[in-house]
Amino acid sequence: MKKVIMGNHAVSYGVRASDVKVISAYPITPQTQVVELLSEMCANGELDAKFIAVESEHSALTACVGASAAGSRTFTATSSQGLLLMHEIIHWAVGARLPIVMSNVNRAVGPPWSIWTDQNDSLSQRDTGWLQIYCESNQEVQDTIVQAFKIAETVMLPVMIVLDAFFLSHTFEIVDILEPEAVRPFLPPYRPARKIDTADPHSFGNLAGPGEYFELRYMIEKAMEDSRAVIERTDREFEERFGRGYGIVKPYRCDDADYVLVTSGTVASTTRAVVDAMRAEGIKIGSLKVRVFRPFPFDEVREVLSKAKKVGVIDRNISFGHHGIFYQEVKSALYGRTNVPVTGFITGLGGRDVTPAVIRGIAEKLIAGTNLEPDINWIGVKI
Amino acid sequence: MIEIRTHGRGGQGAVIASEILADAFFREKKFVQAFPAFGVERRGAPVVSFTRVSDGEIRERCEIYEPDHLVVLDPVLIETVNITVGLKRGGWIVINTNRDMCGSGLCDAYRVATVDANSIALKYGLGSRSAPIVNTAIVGAFAGATKLVGIKAVLEAIAEFVPVRKENNMKAAEEAYKSLIVVPKR
């Protein structure tokens, strides 16, 4: 059934459809409504799950680790400072190979205190071994939560679904709500090969010496690599069943494009409107949304961008002392394979609005090629 | 695409008003989007929220700077906030007021409709005398003035979005729909 709902509730409905058994989370702006609706669903029986209320995000993810290790399908939600407080356990979930799914509402990190969107919170977790998927609409958020459980439980790695603060979390739009009965054949109950079970005792999280640890890290990377095909297959199966697919990347009007803007999150959506407006004026421009950030879609990015004359990457984040993070990743995907010039643009930090005019300004700057720094161009900074 | 900006004060229900509007248009098969101007809302402080309506997919995910129409829940805002900034010429301004807005100057460039949403809200027990909740009434008035969306869809959206006193909220919207005044040009 189609309803007009907020992005945070799209997360909750995705969790409901996925027949999750344990939820532990701590409220934080701007993700609070995710947890509110889920606790309501648990209380009224709409969702047959145990809701574990805790005193911090560190405990929330720790509770998820325990529940997942005991064989339950497990979910948590957080944002910004909360995600950072989880950091130790973020690593733990990966090492323990637990298919936990988390939604993170992208919110800038303090100080100064901010509740508005940028990507530095989730991107600061990029080397932990969580898969990361960035969404641009409430529908995609709901559907990706469901896909995430299937992917996580296939490769035995946790998955983070990322959505922009306010521009998705608090934006109401039409979502075709998935019902658990319809999802069940797509996502059968979670049956792990190994779990904490007093009737069948095993050792978990034990000491691994230099003779074993190395191989366990290799296996995490192997699982990450294997996840590429799993993500693709899961998305395809989802599309066959529900009529909606999202891809690992989403190229838009790139086939004959001289210029391509690389985007993520809600900026990807606004950029498509700009692409159409500029195309109408005869400018050969396209856009490429990077949906899956971990594992990074090297092949897909290379295939689309190597045909362009100029590439601009829009980053709503900054790696201090380096450049925009998507820019780094795109460059590393292209290095040694193609000579297409790539330019980085930083904008929208701390929720600064990325309007069609801002994006158009970036596109025009890229095309003109004048007053362009090679790696990092701050767009709209008032200093 | 139709872009609507709603001005109110924290506690009046401006954000819910923009959501009800979106839901009403959705019931008439439009694509919709509604969201608040993101801030740390306080009771009584000026707040802004937005609604986008389109026949096709809405891709713009940013605030609205050049709205087609305005909804104003508190007439005092007209004196304290530049409510018409960016408003397109000829756009509707639907204002909650019992005053005659004929001499306000707004009618020169815009179409203005007024409704005494405070009195209507109080009549149906919505909010208190010092803080009436006028969002459902003003949405009814918006439908009546602009004719962009039907009152039936508005009433259904209220039933969906308002958690309490659904009946009274629907009656308030219907009364506002019928009692609004289109302010004549000077």
Side-chain angles (χ1 to χ4, degrees):
Chain A
M1 190 180 60
K2 285 187 179 172
K3 279 179 83 167
V4 177
I5 61 170
M6 73 191 310
N8 280 338
H9 287 172
V11 174
S12 313
Y13 278 104
V15 172
R16 167 180 168 267
S18 303
D19 201 14
V20 168
K21 291 302 175 201
V22 177
I23 299 160
S24 185
Y26 188 79
I28 179 171
T29 301
Q31 71 84 23
T32 302
Q33 294 87 354
V34 174
V35 183
E36 271 177 5
L37 184 56
L38 284 173
S39 62
E40 229 175 275
M41 287 170 170
C42 289
N44 69 19
E46 206 178 327
L47 178 57
D48 180 22
K50 170 86 177 162
F51 190 97
I52 305 172
V54 286
E55 87 300 347
S56 77
E57 286 87 354
H58 188 280
S59 296
L61 188 54
T62 306
C64 289
V65 162
S68 184
S72 299
R73 183 170 288 157
T74 305
F75 176 81
T76 189
T78 192
S79 179
S80 189
Q81 315 291 137
L83 179 70
L84 304 183
L85 187 55
M86 286 179 175
H87 181 67
E88 180 197 6
I89 312 303
I90 296 258
H91 280 284
W92 192 276
V94 174
R97 305 297 300 272
L98 299 172
I100 299 165
V101 171
M102 172 200 299
S103 65
N104 180 70
V105 174
N106 264 153
R107 163 184 155 181
V109 174
W113 220 226
S114 170
I115 54 168
W116 294 273
T117 199
D118 76 35
Q119 299 171 322
N120 259 82
D121 58 348
S122 57
L123 290 174
S124 75
Q125 308 301 315
R126 67 173 160 171
D127 298 332
T128 57
W130 282 64
L131 280 68
Q132 287 196 0
I133 307 178
Y134 288 76
C135 296
E136 63 169 298
S137 72
N138 292 357
Q139 185 72 61
E140 184 181 10
V141 166
Q142 180 207 240
D143 295 350
T144 305
I145 294 279
V146 172
Q147 292 189 359
F149 280 105
K150 190 161 174 125
I151 296 162
E153 290 164 14
T154 307
V155 300
M156 296 305 282
L157 285 174
V159 181
M160 190 185 296
I161 309 304
V162 188
L163 56 151
D164 287 343
F166 298 110
F167 293 111
L168 280 189
S169 70
H170 285 62
T171 294
F172 282 71
E173 57 182 7
I174 304 165
V175 173
D176 196 347
I177 290 173
L178 289 166
E179 292 304 325
E181 303 73 50
V183 170
R184 205 158 292 132
F186 174 80
L187 181 67
Y190 175 45
R191 302 256 182 268
R194 285 168 294 279
K195 61 177 181 178
I196 293 176
D197 181 358
T198 50
D200 180 22
H202 288 81
S203 172
F204 290 84
N206 215 326
L207 186 73
E212 297 89 26
Y213 187 92
F214 194 29
E215 284 69 23
L216 293 169
R217 260 34 196 176
Y218 170 78
M219 286 163 73
I220 291 171
E221 175 54 17
K222 179 80 174 47
M224 198 45 112
E225 287 307 314
D226 291 346
S227 74
R228 297 174 191 281
V230 175
I231 295 166
E232 204 166 5
R233 191 175 70 224
T234 303
D235 190 50
R236 202 167 50 238
E237 279 176 31
F238 187 93
E239 185 166 13
E240 281 163 12
R241 201 174 278 273
F242 302 106
R244 299 182 297 270
Y246 300 95
I248 288 178
V249 297
K250 185 171 175 181
Y252 184 70
R253 304 187 80 165
C254 284
D255 283 346
D256 65 336
D258 292 337
Y259 315 103
V260 177
L261 293 177
V262 181
T263 58
S264 59
T266 51
V267 173
S269 179
T270 310
T271 300
R272 271 181 230 115
V274 174
V275 165
D276 282 351
M278 294 182 77
R279 280 275 178 175
E281 297 163 20
I283 302 162
K284 286 187 164 180
I285 189 165
S287 69
L288 176 69
K289 166 185 152 187
V290 176
R291 176 173 178 256
V292 177
F293 177 75
R294 280 291 181 273
F296 194 78
F298 289 107
D299 291 345
E300 292 82 355
V301 164
R302 224 175 263 145
E303 195 194 319
V304 173
L305 298 186
S306 56
K307 291 177 287 188
K309 288 184 185 148
K310 282 183 184 179
V311 171
V313 183
I314 302 179
D315 271 296
R316 204 169 208 162
N317 61 75
I318 171 75
S319 173
F320 295 116
H322 204 296
H323 306 127
I325 293 172
F326 280 82
Y327 170 69
Q328 300 173 3
E329 303 269 341
V330 166
K331 265 203 315 183
S332 80
L334 299 180
Y335 182 77
R337 314 283 183 120
T338 164
N339 289 324
V340 57
V342 187
T343 307
F345 298 89
I346 310 256
T347 193
L349 302 189
R352 184 76 61 86
D353 210 359
V354 183
T355 61
V358 169
I359 296 165
R360 195 182 171 111
I362 290 172
E364 285 170 351
K365 218 169 151 64
L366 176 77
I367 293 165
T370 45
N371 297 325
L372 210 55
E373 297 296 328
D375 295 309
I376 185 165
N377 293 273
W378 290 79
I379 301 301
V381 76
K382 292 183 279 197
I383 289 174
Chain B
M1 181 133 66
I2 304 169
E3 296 184 312
I4 305 156
R5 189 169 65 207
T6 301
H7 293 266
R9 290 188 183 274
Q12 283 188 307
V15 178
I16 304 272
S18 65
E19 290 160 13
I20 293 169
L21 258 183
D23 198 68
F25 278 104
F26 158 66
R27 285 163 198 279
E28 295 190 350
K29 310 285 177 241
K30 302 287 188 188
F31 287 80
V32 296
Q33 196 188 66
F35 54 101
F38 319 123
V40 185
E41 285 82 11
R42 292 148 298 158
R43 191 159 280 267
V47 296
V48 173
S49 58
F50 306 102
T51 308
R52 282 193 175 97
V53 180
S54 175
D55 290 325
E57 187 196 352
I58 299 169
R59 297 179 296 184
E60 288 77 1
R61 294 182 182 279
C62 53
E63 298 196 354
I64 291 168
Y65 297 90
E66 292 177 355
D68 296 284
H69 308 294
L70 295 187
V71 174
V72 183
L73 276 68
D74 176 6
V76 181
L77 287 169
I78 296 170
E79 292 147 35
T80 57
V81 178
N82 185 7
I83 59 157
T84 56
V85 63
L87 177 63
K88 288 181 188 151
R89 246 189 120 74
W92 278 101
I93 309 177
V94 180
I95 309 170
N96 163 29
T97 183
N98 56 7
R99 282 167 43 198
D100 179 2
M101 297 302 288
C102 205
S104 71
L106 292 173
C107 303
D108 297 344
Y110 313 109
R111 290 176 281 177
V112 178
T114 62
V115 66
D116 186 1
N118 282 6
S119 301
I120 294 172
L122 289 175
K123 179 177 168 185
Y124 292 103
L126 307 173
S128 62
R129 188 155 289 282
S130 58
I133 298 173
V134 295
N135 55 358
T136 45
I138 200 90
V139 174
F142 181 88
T146 66
K147 307 277 190 286
L148 290 168
V149 64
I151 187 68
K152 182 171 169 282
V154 167
L155 297 180
E156 285 171 10
I158 289 171
E160 172 80 26
F161 265 80
V162 178
V164 291
R165 299 191 181 206
K166 288 180 193 289
E167 276 296 313
N168 283 12
N169 275 291
M170 288 159 77
K171 282 181 188 159
E174 217 163 2
E175 183 159 334
Y177 176 79
K178 289 174 186 157
S179 67
L180 72 98
I181 298 162
V182 174
V183 180
K185 283 204 185 295
R186 274 187 293 186

